[in-house]
C-alpha cells in the first residue's frame, strides 16, 4: 500500500512539473496572435499597424505561409557551417554629397544609391534600394523579428533587389527578387555617432511625406561590427502587399544607440499631422514548417529586451542554466525515481503473487465449497 501511495504522489509531481514547464514555454507560441491595441487608427492610409489582421483581406499575400517577421527560436535554428558569408560593397557613401531621408507615414526611409551592393552571400549580386526602421515606444520594444520571443527596441532593414532585375518593384514580385539585411537596435551607454547622422535631423522630417537631405556617410556603420553571425530564412515584406520574395538575413550581433537617441526615433515623427509615428512593427508570423538557418552554432544570450551588455563578447556569459534547463532536470529526476519505484513495486508484487500461487491453501476459488474453511 505504501508503495502505491508513493507512486501516486510521484505521478502527481510529474503532472505538476509538466504543467509548470508547459506554461513557461507556451508564451513562446503566443506571439503570432498578439493584438495591436494601438489607439491611433486609420489616417488616410490603405493599411495601418493597428489593424494587422485586416491586411489579409485587402492584400492576399499577407495571408500566405511564408510571412515575415518571425520569432527566431535559437534552439531550433539549424546550424549551417557552409552558409556563405555576407560581403558588402559600396556601402561607404562618404563621398556622396547628399542622401534623401523621408518620413513616408509608415517609417523613416533613407534612399540608397545603386552602387551599394551585396557582392557575396547569395547566388546573385543584390543592389541596395533603401533602408528603413521599425520601432516601438519607451514602454514597448518595437523590433519586428524576435529572438526566443524577445523584442529588441528597434530594427533596421536594408532592402536589396536581385541585380538580374531592373528595379525594386520588378524584383519584389519574383521568388528570388529580394534580400533584406536586418539588425537589432538596442540601448548602450554612449551616443552612436553613425546613427546620429540620421537621428539628428529627425525634426526636419517630423511631418508625414516630408523629406530632407543629409550628407553621405558610411552606411556600413549602421550595421553590427560582425556580419559573420546571422540567421537566414525565406519570408516576405513585413508590410502590404507582403510579397513572399525576401531572402532574410538577421544578424545576431546588436547595434547600440543611446537611450536619448532611441527616444528621438520613438517620439519625433508624426503621421496625419498630430499622431506619433511609432509601434510600426508587424507581429511575428507563423513558420508553417519553414527552417531557420544559423551561420553559427552557439546560442545567444538575451537577458533583457532593452538593456544589452556593453561587451562585444557575449559568448562568455552564457554558462548559467535557464529556467527550462532546471525544469528539464527536475522532470528527468522525477521520471527516474518513478521508474525505479515502479520496478520495485512490480518486483515485490510478482514475488508476493508467485508466493500465493505456490500455496495451495490460499487458492480461494477451490476452497469455497469445502467445509474446512467454514
Ligand atoms: Zn522593414
Amino acid at each position: 500500500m505504501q508503495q502505491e501511495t508513493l507512486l501516486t504522489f510521484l505521478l502527481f509531481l510529474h503532472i505538476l512539473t509538466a504543467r509548470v514547464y508547459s506554461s513557461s514555454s507556451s508564451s513562446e507560441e503566443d506571439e503570432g496572435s498578439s493584438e495591436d491595441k494601438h489607439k491611433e487608427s486609420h489616417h488616410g492610409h490603405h493599411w495601418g499597424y493597428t489593424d494587422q489582421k485586416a491586411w489579409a483581406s485587402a492584400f492576399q499575400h499577407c495571408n500566405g505561409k511564408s510571412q515575415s517577421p518571425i520569432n527566431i527560436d535559437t534552439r531550433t535554428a539549424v546550424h549551417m557551417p557552409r552558409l556563405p558569408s555576407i560581403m558588402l560593397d559600396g556601402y561607404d557613401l562618404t563621398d556622396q554629397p547628399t542622401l534623401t531621408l523621408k518620413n513616408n507615414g509608415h517609417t523613416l526611409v533613407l534612399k540608397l544609391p545603386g552602387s551599394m551592393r551585396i557582392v557575396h552571400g547569395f547566388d546573385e549580386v543584390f543592389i541596395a534600394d533603401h533602408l528603413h526602421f521599425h520601432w516601438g515606444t519607451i514602454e514597448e520594444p518595437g523590433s519586428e523579428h524576435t529572438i526566443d520571443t524577445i523584442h529588441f527596441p528597434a530594427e533596421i532593414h536594408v532592402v536589396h533587389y536581385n541585380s538580374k532585375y531592373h528595379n525594386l518593384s520588378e524584383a519584389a514580385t519574383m521568388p528570388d527578387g529580394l534580400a533584406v539585411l536586418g539588425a537589432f537596435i538596442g540601448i548602450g551607454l554612449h551616443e552612436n555617432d553613425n546613427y546620429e547622422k540620421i537621428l539628428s535631423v529627425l525634426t526636419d522630417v517630423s511631418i508625414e511625406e516630408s523629406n530632407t537631405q543629409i550628407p553621405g556617410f558610411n552606411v556600413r556603420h549602421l550595421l553590427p561590427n560582425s556580419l559573420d553571425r546571422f540567421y537566414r530564412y525565406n519570408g516576405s515584406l513585413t508590410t502590404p502587399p507582403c510579397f513572399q520574395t525576401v531572402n532574410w538575413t538577421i544578424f545576431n550581433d546588436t547595434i547600440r544607440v543611446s537611450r536619448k537617441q532611441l527616444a528621438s526615433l520613438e517620439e519625433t515623427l508624426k503621421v496625419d499631422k498630430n499622431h506619433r509615428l511609432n509601434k510600426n512593427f508587424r507581429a511575428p508570423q507563423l513558420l508553417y514548417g519553414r527552417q531557420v538557418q544559423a551561420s553559427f552554432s552557439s546560442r545567444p544570450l538575451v537577458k533583457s529586451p532593452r538593456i544589452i551588455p556593453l561587451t562585444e563578447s557575449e559568448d562568455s556569459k552564457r554558462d548559467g542554466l535557464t529556467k527550462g534547463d532546471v525544469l528539464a532536470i527536475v522532470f528527468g529526476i522525477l521520471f527516474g525515481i518513478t521508474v525505479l519505484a515502479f520496478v520495485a513495486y512490480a518486483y515485490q508484487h510478482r514475488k508476493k503473487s508467485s508466493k500465493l500461487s505456490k500455496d495451495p491453501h490460499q487458492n480461494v476459488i477451490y476452497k469455497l465449497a469445502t467445509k474446512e474453511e467454514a
Side-chain angles (χ1 to χ4, degrees):
M1 272 303 133
Q2 270 182 335
Q3 282 153 333
E4 277 167 49
T5 316
L6 179 69
L7 270 178
T8 314
F9 174 68
L10 285 168
L11 274 169
F12 170 73
L13 267 180
H14 265 249
I15 292 160
L16 197 72
T17 321
R19 278 189 161 219
V20 172
Y21 192 74
S22 73
S23 71
S24 77
S25 58
S26 70
S27 62
E28 290 170 26
E29 267 96 57
D30 292 343
E31 285 293 340
S33 60
S34 77
E35 278 282 353
D36 188 347
K37 293 185 182 73
H38 202 186
K39 262 182 251 136
E40 166 203 323
S41 65
H42 301 283
H43 36 72
H45 292 279
H46 297 296
W47 58 272
Y49 285 96
T50 47
D51 53 355
Q52 296 183 25
K53 293 247 164 81
W55 293 5
S57 52
F59 308 93
Q60 60 174 89
H61 297 283
C62 299
N63 211 17
K65 295 197 168 170
S66 295
Q67 288 292 290
S68 294
I70 56 162
N71 171 52
I72 294 167
D73 185 344
T74 58
R75 294 166 308 178
T76 54
V78 181
H79 178 213
M80 304 288 278
R82 288 188 192 161
L83 267 180
S85 57
I86 299 276
M87 276 179 63
L88 306 173
D89 188 51
Y91 263 54
D92 187 352
L93 304 178
T94 312
D95 293 336
Q96 198 90 5
T98 59
L99 297 168
T100 303
L101 188 68
K102 182 178 178 177
N103 167 359
N104 73 1
H106 296 300
T107 185
L108 175 69
V109 184
L110 184 68
K111 185 75 188 136
L112 299 171
S115 52
M116 262 178 71
R117 288 154 187 251
I118 305 172
V119 291
H120 189 263
F122 301 101
D123 292 341
E124 270 103 5
V125 167
F126 280 75
I127 302 169
D129 181 82
H130 73 272
L131 63 83
H132 64 258
F133 302 90
H134 301 269
W135 61 90
T137 64
I138 192 156
E139 293 90 15
E140 188 178 358
S143 70
E144 294 213 295
H145 289 87
T146 54
I147 300 283
D148 294 333
T149 75
I150 302 289
H151 279 273
F152 286 78
E155 186 170 332
I156 179 175
H157 289 160
V158 191
V159 179
H160 303 73
Y161 64 91
N162 195 324
S163 58
K164 74 189 203 187
Y165 302 117
H166 292 102
N167 51 48
L168 181 75
S169 56
E170 184 194 342
T173 59
M174 305 297 182
D176 59 351
L178 306 178
V180 180
L181 305 181
F184 297 115
I185 301 170
I187 295 176
L189 288 181
H190 307 291
E191 184 170 274
N192 184 319
D193 293 338
N194 301 300
Y195 270 77
E196 194 60 13
K197 283 163 181 149
I198 289 175
L199 299 177
S200 63
V201 298
L202 283 187
T203 48
D204 298 345
V205 290
S206 64
I207 297 165
E208 184 178 354
E209 293 298 323
S210 63
N211 59 59
T212 189
Q213 304 294 314
I214 61 171
F217 64 100
N218 193 342
V219 177
R220 169 66 184 84
H221 293 152
L222 296 180
L223 293 175
N225 288 337
S226 168
L227 303 183
D228 296 336
R229 294 153 59 89
F230 59 84
Y231 296 100
R232 170 71 50 78
Y233 79 98
N234 290 317
S236 73
L237 302 176
T238 66
T239 56
C242 308
F243 294 138
Q244 301 184 140
T245 56
V246 180
N247 196 339
W248 276 98
T249 302
I250 302 293
F251 294 112
N252 177 71
D253 290 13
T254 306
I255 305 135
R256 279 149 206 143
V257 300
S258 71
R259 198 171 279 276
K260 196 179 155 197
Q261 285 182 305
L262 182 68
S264 71
L265 184 63
E266 292 167 343
E267 292 165 9
T268 312
L269 303 190
K270 304 267 193 293
V271 275
D272 206 21
K273 293 205 172 69
N274 50 10
H275 289 101
R276 247 180 209 168
L277 170 50
N278 56 25
K279 294 205 214 177
N280 56 351
F281 58 97
R282 188 187 193 191
Q285 304 294 301
L286 294 173
L287 272 181
Y288 290 109
R290 278 177 291 171
Q291 187 186 66
V292 178
Q293 302 179 337
S295 68
F296 59 103
S297 63
S298 47
R299 284 173 53 187
L301 182 77
V302 181
K303 277 194 169 170
S304 158
R306 287 187 78 88
I307 311 293
I308 288 143
L310 289 170
T311 48
E312 283 301 319
S313 57
E314 286 163 5
D315 303 30
S316 55
K317 296 184 179 175
R318 71 171 80 101
D319 311 322
L321 291 174
T322 66
K323 196 176 156 195
D325 291 338
V326 173
L327 282 169
I329 289 166
V330 170
F331 195 82
I333 290 169
L334 280 173
F335 183 73
I337 291 170
T338 311
V339 167
L340 281 176
F342 183 75
V343 167
Y345 172 75
Y347 178 72
Q348 293 235 340
H349 188 74
R350 229 179 112 183
K351 223 170 146 186
K352 216 189 247 175
S353 60
S354 68
K355 221 188 225 173
L356 287 178
S357 63
K358 270 178 202 162
D359 186 351
H361 297 291
Q362 296 290 322
N363 200 325
V364 179
I365 298 166
Y366 294 102
K367 289 267 171 175
L368 269 174
T370 68
K371 284 184 180 175
E372 293 165 57
E373 210 54 24

